[in-house]
Amino acid sequence: MSAVPTVLVLDADPLPRLGRLTGRARVVHADETTLAGRLPEADVLLVWDFTSQAVRAAWPGGGPRPRWVHTASVGVDHLMCPELAASDTVVTNARGVFDEPIAEYVAALVLALAKDLPLTWELQGRHEWRHREGLRVAGTHAVVVGSGPIGRAIARTLKALGVTTAVVGRVPRTGIHGPEDLDRLLARADWVVAAAPLTEQTHGMFDLRRFGVMQPSARFLNVGRGQLVVEEALVQALERRWIAGAALDVFATEPLPPDSPLWRVPGLLVSPHMSGDTVGWRDELGAQFVELFERWAAGRPLRNVVDKQRGYVPGH
């Protein structure tokens, strides 16, 4: 490593605050058009624009590659390509920043759907008085698919509301169900929360069959990755009233196209990928990267190291 390592930032607006690296690193910037040309000069790549696919396109090119890549997101599917997965480059993610905010958001969605708040807001706009009966949340059952820190935070928060919650992970262990239990749990769940990473095993896991397993009173929430869901199947399930409702914060294509049927399907609440984004979240992401950089520069083991074959941080 040179005396002053080069940190290459794949930019997004606003830029990260990296003032603490002054004099300790040479910080350079790139966008999707210049990333490939700048990769060979970088010791570290900070993927600040975690919506971009530029890393997947640029990484297979010639020349040296950064020894460490950090993405300001939990998911890594936007940057992982076979060449990066096979390399010696260490990949880290933003594990820990979004856990509690996403759990709070899921709790808000559960309460909003149970108390029919979207319709209340709509009726208020029409000056229409229509009395209804809401659902009690305490005593209901939830399945959280995804046993990482976000999934576990969601389970803790729902339990605080009196919801009996089961968590499903990649492998069964104490307090965590395995995939073989999923259909059985779905069949009795009032709330199904998708919070799993996107892998070959989870891609499209919520399809027409899985929505058919759910009971008619169930509500489905996705705060994981859009590609966990076969969106056409969800549209059919809502139109046919196989399930009572749904809320999506992530989508296969983002921003959601104006002509998408998801905007119009009955019983679906759409939000623009904001479940983890609270005031000051970008500063938290920047501070997390600086702390990791300090460990890396000192030769200490990095935290949040992603298993590049699995696509997430193991050990949880």
Side-chain angles (χ1 to χ4, degrees):
M1 184 188 303
S2 60
V4 179
T6 296
V7 174
L8 175 62
V9 181
L10 178 58
D11 287 344
D13 187 37
L15 296 177
R17 297 184 181 182
L18 302 178
R20 284 167 54 189
L21 298 186
T22 301
R24 304 163 63 188
R26 172 177 170 258
V27 179
V28 296
H29 298 268
D31 59 21
E32 293 188 351
T33 64
T34 60
L35 179 65
R38 305 214 74 167
L39 274 178
E41 68 182 283
D43 298 293
V44 180
L45 172 62
L46 168 57
V47 185
W48 190 247
D49 184 357
F50 51 80
T51 66
S52 171
Q53 301 285 322
V55 176
R56 292 174 60 93
W59 194 272
R65 288 295 180 261
R67 285 163 287 169
W68 168 34
V69 173
H70 177 78
T71 179
S73 62
V74 176
V76 298
D77 51 279
H78 59 290
L79 58 87
M80 201 61 64
C81 60
E83 292 81 3
L84 174 55
S87 72
D88 294 331
T89 296
V90 176
V91 176
T92 57
N93 71 357
R95 181 188 187 206
V97 172
F98 301 107
D99 306 356
E100 296 304 329
I102 292 178
E104 293 173 357
Y105 198 88
V106 169
L109 290 174
V110 167
L111 290 169
L113 293 174
K115 307 306 178 183
D116 204 15
L117 295 184
L119 180 57
T120 297
W121 187 261
E122 179 183 331
L123 293 173
Q124 179 182 339
R126 301 204 302 254
H127 299 184
E128 182 176 341
W129 182 282
R130 189 192 304 176
H131 181 269
R132 286 114 57 222
E133 295 177 345
L135 301 174
R136 288 196 63 177
V137 171
T140 58
H141 293 78
V143 176
V144 178
V145 182
S147 61
I150 292 174
R152 297 199 304 271
I154 292 170
R156 288 194 302 271
T157 303
L158 292 181
K159 287 176 183 178
L161 295 176
V163 180
T164 301
T165 305
V167 179
V168 177
R170 187 180 65 89
V171 294
R173 53 197 185 278
T174 303
I176 305 294
H177 294 269
E180 63 278 3
D181 292 334
L182 179 56
D183 286 355
R184 174 178 60 82
L185 293 169
L186 290 179
R188 62 190 298 265
D190 301 292
W191 311 99
V192 178
V193 184
L198 181 61
T199 66
E200 290 184 4
Q201 291 70 38
T202 63
H203 192 286
M205 67 182 301
F206 289 100
D207 55 12
L208 201 60
R209 187 189 70 80
R210 282 262 161 75
F211 289 121
V213 168
M214 299 178 195
Q215 55 185 352
S217 60
R219 288 166 172 83
F220 174 77
L221 290 68
N222 187 13
V223 292
R225 303 294 287 172
Q227 294 87 346
L228 300 178
V229 179
V230 179
E231 293 176 345
E232 297 83 357
L234 177 59
V235 170
Q236 290 185 50
L238 288 168
E239 290 178 340
R240 298 173 182 177
R241 297 186 179 180
W242 288 1
I243 60 176
L248 300 181
D249 186 57
V250 288
F251 303 87
T253 300
E254 297 183 4
L256 187 63
D259 60 350
S260 170
L262 294 172
W263 289 111
R264 303 179 300 277
V265 67
L268 176 61
L269 181 62
V270 169
S271 60
H273 204 151
M274 58 181 284
S275 61
D277 301 347
T278 54
V279 175
W281 66 285
R282 291 183 179 87
D283 289 341
E284 288 187 56
L285 289 172
Q288 181 187 58
F289 173 72
V290 170
E291 291 169 4
L292 287 171
F293 177 87
E294 291 170 346
R295 296 181 66 90
W296 178 80
R300 299 165 59 197
L302 285 168
R303 299 190 180 101
N304 293 5
V305 175
V306 173
D307 183 318
K308 293 185 290 184
Q309 303 303 319
R310 296 181 183 178
Y312 55 87
V313 179
H316 54 69

